[in-house]
Amino acid sequence: MPSLEIAVKFCENVAKDDAHGYSQYSRWGPDYDCSSLVISGLKAGGFDVGSATYTGNMRSQLSARGWTVLNPSVAKKRGDILLNDASHTAMMISASQLVQASKSETGGITGKTGDQTGREIWTCGYYSFPWNCVLRYAGAATDGALSVDGYLGTGTVYALQKSLGTAQDGIISSQWIGNRVYHQSDTSCFEWVSKSTGSDVVKALQRKIGLSGSDVDGDWGKATNLALQKYLGTTQDGYLSSPSDAIKALQRKLNAGGL
């Protein structure tokens, strides 16, 4: 079923990772603008967003899919979407804090890839933009099927964790940053660190796809990608591209009931 928590965490993780900045040109990753950030978060959380692509059609698309349109003066809560139909949107992460994609380091609509200022995509206190409305999810749960898009997002990771019986938070924790080059399909679900301790779900995945001994270390690197690609019957090059055939195959298996 759709998860607001995963949607919010996606946006928070993007804001914490300076590899993602503001751009209206590369707005679906690695950089985002205000609407693509929120919409990408919703997709990661398993929500049906219809054909929503920008602030101008978010209200119509989401209100037709279980989201209630509220007065902007309503008391806010985590997961609420703030919307100015003409020019801006953000997501509440608490009753008084929000996460948003604001502007590039040039002050305009694009710039260098990544966050150059710390405030291209960031969290801050609530403010009146002004907003035209608040969108709040009140719809019935869906079947939660993953979008087979080839991107390793928090929704796919959450489903993988559930399938493998590990803690479910949508995050691949404590991964060595040197392996980042092998994960072009990552949409901010990895926690990249210089000194890794590994992840329980990665260890479980490594065992599932046939690795053993010292290869079961909880670090998702090239060797794990090669084994995963072999297990899934896709091209074996050790890289999860953007999008990735291996991730599409993984998503199909998860939708069919698991690995």
Side-chain angles (χ1 to χ4, degrees):
M1 65 177 60
S3 169
L4 269 179
E5 186 59 25
I6 289 178
V8 176
K9 282 184 176 179
F10 174 93
C11 296
E12 289 178 317
N13 289 335
V14 170
K16 291 175 183 176
D17 186 349
D18 286 344
H20 306 285
Y22 183 95
S23 176
Q24 291 185 19
Y25 293 162
S26 58
R27 61 191 296 261
W28 297 107
D31 298 326
Y32 299 89
D33 64 12
C34 64
S35 54
S36 68
L37 175 67
V38 172
I39 292 167
S40 294
L42 295 179
K43 288 180 177 179
F47 288 91
D48 178 5
V49 300
S51 58
T53 55
Y54 76 115
T55 56
N57 66 2
M58 286 176 63
R59 185 197 296 236
S60 62
Q61 292 299 310
L62 296 183
S63 64
R65 291 168 173 81
W67 292 79
T68 300
V69 181
L70 301 174
N71 188 289
S73 64
V74 68
K76 316 300 187 296
K77 65 180 183 178
R78 186 172 172 87
D80 283 352
I81 296 172
L82 308 171
L83 181 65
N84 179 295
D85 301 90
S87 57
H88 195 41
T89 187
M91 182 175 281
M92 296 299 297
I93 61 174
S94 73
S96 59
Q97 296 281 312
L98 61 83
V99 59
Q100 64 179 353
S102 297
K103 59 185 177 182
S104 76
E105 78 277 8
T106 67
I109 63 174
T110 193
K112 294 180 180 179
T113 294
D115 196 328
Q116 312 301 314
T117 66
R119 290 193 173 190
E120 292 189 38
I121 302 178
W122 61 309
T123 61
C124 64
Y126 172 81
Y127 62 94
S128 178
F129 183 72
W131 309 110
N132 299 137
C133 68
V134 169
L135 298 173
R136 178 173 294 168
Y137 189 66
T142 70
D143 62 9
L146 296 169
S147 174
V148 181
D149 58 8
Y151 292 96
L152 188 59
T154 50
T156 299
V157 173
Y158 186 93
L160 180 64
Q161 291 168 328
K162 183 177 181 180
S163 174
L164 294 174
T166 63
Q168 297 162 39
D169 62 3
I171 302 298
I172 304 293
S173 59
S174 192
Q175 297 295 294
W176 180 52
I177 196 168
N179 285 328
R180 189 170 193 164
V181 66
Y182 305 117
H183 292 277
Q184 298 160 16
S185 68
D186 167 36
T187 61
S188 293
C189 62
F190 281 77
E191 178 188 37
W192 298 111
V193 297
S194 57
K195 293 183 179 180
S196 65
T197 57
S199 161
D200 287 342
V201 70
V202 174
K203 289 179 182 177
L205 175 64
Q206 289 168 331
R207 294 188 189 99
K208 184 69 177 181
I209 61 181
L211 296 176
S212 61
S214 62
D215 289 329
V216 180
D217 58 5
D219 257 330
W220 194 334
K222 188 173 185 179
T224 300
N225 281 347
L226 285 167
L228 179 64
Q229 290 167 331
K230 181 178 180 180
Y231 180 85
L232 295 171
T234 62
T235 300
Q236 298 167 44
D237 62 3
Y239 291 81
L240 298 182
S241 55
S242 177
S244 163
D245 288 340
I247 297 302
K248 288 180 181 179
L250 174 64
Q251 290 165 332
R252 292 188 187 99
K253 278 189 171 290
L254 292 172
N255 281 339
L259 290 178

